[in-house]
Amino acid sequence: MRVHIATDHAGFELKEFLVPQLQSAGYEVVDHGSDVYDSLDDYPTTCIPCAEAVAADPGSLGIVLGGSGNGEQISANKVAGIRSILAWNKETAQLGREHNNANVISIGARMHQPEEALEFVLAFLETPFSGDPRHQRRIDLISAYEEQR
């Protein structure tokens, strides 16, 4: 599976931890930056291209990282076709896939230890969408609204 990842300065160390872990687990990781630590960078410049790549790459998933994960999730969700969740534990990561068919996970690097964040990411990547008709109906309602804009 191809996994797109992006961060700003606040999640840079976490991204540097996650990329080799994911590669070792067999994932093809596409790094959308930041490529170097820059305390003045802005998360939309990396998170939006990451989300665009996920939207353009069927079957892929994405990871956006920042201090709290909030701005990164908001940025990703501005891209048509993206359903980004903010995960703060393993269960929210799994539910985002099972119930919402989320295709991007956002994590606050300042909120979690690297090993804990890796657990969330792996749970997200390994959990399939349930396909339950009530969940699909809700996703379809969101998509219909998105298409009207």
Side-chain angles (χ1 to χ4, degrees):
M1 174 190 295
R2 191 169 306 111
V3 178
H4 298 272
I5 191 167
T7 189
D8 68 355
H9 59 279
F12 184 77
E13 288 182 21
L14 179 57
K15 179 183 70 82
E16 295 297 295
F17 171 80
L18 290 174
V19 168
Q21 296 288 328
L22 294 173
Q23 289 170 330
S24 293
Y27 293 97
E28 178 188 344
V29 180
V30 180
D31 188 342
H32 295 271
S34 293
D35 297 325
V36 296
Y37 179 85
D38 176 359
S39 64
L40 299 177
D41 65 5
D42 300 308
Y43 55 82
T45 62
T46 56
C47 293
I48 291 172
C50 178
E52 289 174 333
V54 171
D57 187 8
S60 70
L61 295 173
I63 303 164
V64 293
L65 308 167
S68 70
N70 286 314
E72 296 75 22
Q73 177 199 26
I74 292 167
S75 294
N77 276 322
K78 296 299 180 183
V79 175
I82 295 300
R83 290 175 305 281
S84 181
I85 58 149
L86 177 63
W88 61 90
N89 59 28
K90 184 177 176 181
E91 185 178 19
T92 56
Q94 291 170 318
L95 287 172
R97 291 285 300 137
E98 288 175 358
H99 291 192
N100 309 110
N101 200 14
N103 49 12
V104 174
I105 184 173
S106 183
I107 299 175
R110 293 180 179 152
M111 309 296 136
H112 308 283
Q113 294 299 314
E115 294 79 14
E116 185 181 28
L118 177 60
E119 180 184 25
F120 305 167
V121 167
L122 291 174
F124 180 81
L125 297 176
E126 295 168 3
T127 301
F129 174 53
S130 71
D132 184 304
R134 69 188 168 117
H135 298 310
Q136 186 60 58
R137 181 179 67 246
R138 294 166 186 162
I139 293 166
D140 291 343
L141 289 167
I142 293 167
S143 295
Y145 174 79
E146 186 176 65
E147 290 171 12
Q148 294 173 11
R149 296 177 24 175

